[in-house]
Amino acid sequence: GENVEQHPSTLSVQEGDSAVIKCTYSDSASNYFPWYKQELGKRPQLIIDIRSNVGEKKDQRIAVTLNKTAKHFSLHITETQPEDSAVYFCAEFDSSYKLIFGSGTRLLVRP
Amino acid sequence: EAGVVQSPRYKIIEKKQPVAFWCNPISGHNTLYWYLQNLGQGPELLIRYENEEAVDDSQLPKDRFSAERLKGVDSTLKIQPAELGDSAVYLCASSHGQYNEQFFGPGTRLTVL
């Protein structure tokens, strides 16, 4: 079946530094790629998404890039803050209208 | 606007017992999803409803799991009988159509002893 590979599984950065999380997918027909943030014991919440007709999207300190040819997309967080610490999941909306999630990246921002 | 509501938030049962989870989606959202989230992993789809119709239940273990959304609003997910491996968080989500953002509920954390 379809799957999404996400790297790294854990990421520790100093406050103020940037963090990058990368995902690759297999379904070439996928056209929607959301990113979710999940704090400990809480629900996943959408932080940014990108559709296949654009290569990059930015929202304040968060940006996502998409390379459809290589079938990979990345999340970039600049000027990280302690409240950015959480687990981040990438996902692809595949050709069977199913949202397939990556395995998650645990981000720790050290004060 | 109220978010997706789930109950109970926590449930502890012994193996072989039945258990049921309830979900109330965001008002007006016709698409409802049940996901399973194991510790340290991403959510995995169990079933998707469009109104009252289950349009994708390919990942639902039908020998012990069942779900219903009789009036196209609230939904119930049931496990009977529960097994030790069913311990996980069960998330409900809803969206306005299958192509739009999915909003998640807080989940039900199930522990099977």
Side-chain angles (χ1 to χ4, degrees):
Chain A
E2 309 301 341
N3 72 301
V4 178
E5 293 190 7
Q6 182 170 348
H7 300 282
S9 57
T10 59
L11 180 59
S12 180
V13 300
Q14 192 70 38
E15 181 178 359
D17 288 350
S18 295
V20 180
I21 302 170
K22 299 181 179 181
C23 290
T24 59
Y25 62 98
S26 54
D27 187 348
S28 56
S30 295
N31 57 13
Y32 174 61
F33 306 90
W35 285 88
Y36 283 83
K37 174 183 181 182
Q38 187 174 29
E39 297 178 8
L40 188 63
K42 297 191 175 181
R43 70 189 76 193
Q45 291 192 299
L46 182 76
I47 56 171
I48 195 167
D49 56 15
I50 190 167
R51 298 192 183 267
S52 59
N53 57 341
V54 297
E56 184 173 359
K57 184 177 178 180
K58 190 173 181 180
D59 182 4
Q60 299 182 349
R61 297 186 296 108
I62 296 173
V64 58
T65 59
L66 171 64
N67 183 327
K68 285 216 72 178
T69 302
K71 291 192 278 190
H72 65 70
F73 55 114
S74 301
L75 178 72
H76 304 252
I77 306 175
T78 58
E79 301 172 28
T80 54
Q81 301 168 5
E83 51 265 38
D84 294 330
S85 296
V87 179
Y88 291 80
F89 292 98
C90 63
E92 67 158 333
F93 192 69
D94 73 5
S95 53
S96 63
Y97 311 112
K98 187 179 300 181
L99 204 53
I100 309 295
F101 285 83
S103 54
T105 296
R106 183 173 300 278
L107 174 65
L108 174 64
V109 180
R110 305 186 305 274
Chain B
E1 176 182 274
V4 177
V5 179
Q6 289 187 249
S7 68
R9 292 293 315 278
Y10 305 91
K11 189 72 177 180
I12 301 174
I13 61 172
E14 293 189 344
K15 63 181 180 182
K16 300 184 182 179
Q17 294 301 305
V19 65
F21 314 126
W22 175 80
C23 173
N24 180 243
I26 291 173
S27 177
H29 282 191
N30 58 319
T31 309
L32 183 145
Y33 315 78
W34 283 103
Y35 287 89
L36 166 73
Q37 187 174 27
N38 285 306
L39 188 64
Q41 298 183 24
E44 300 172 35
L45 182 70
L46 290 172
I47 189 167
R48 173 168 65 93
Y49 282 93
E50 294 291 340
N51 300 304
E52 66 274 9
E53 182 182 359
V55 295
D56 184 355
D57 62 357
S58 56
Q59 303 291 96
L60 191 72
K62 299 181 185 64
D63 56 335
R64 297 183 301 107
F65 286 64
S66 65
E68 59 183 17
R69 194 185 185 199
L70 294 175
K71 296 182 179 179
V73 181
D74 295 2
S75 178
T76 302
L77 177 69
K78 298 178 181 177
I79 308 174
Q80 182 171 12
E83 296 179 353
L84 295 176
D86 296 332
S87 295
V89 175
Y90 291 83
L91 292 164
C92 179
S94 71
S95 64
H96 188 63
Q98 62 185 349
Y99 302 106
N100 296 315
E101 177 183 354
Q102 294 184 24
F103 293 84
F104 284 84
T108 297
R109 182 176 296 277
L110 173 67
T111 302
V112 182
L113 303 176

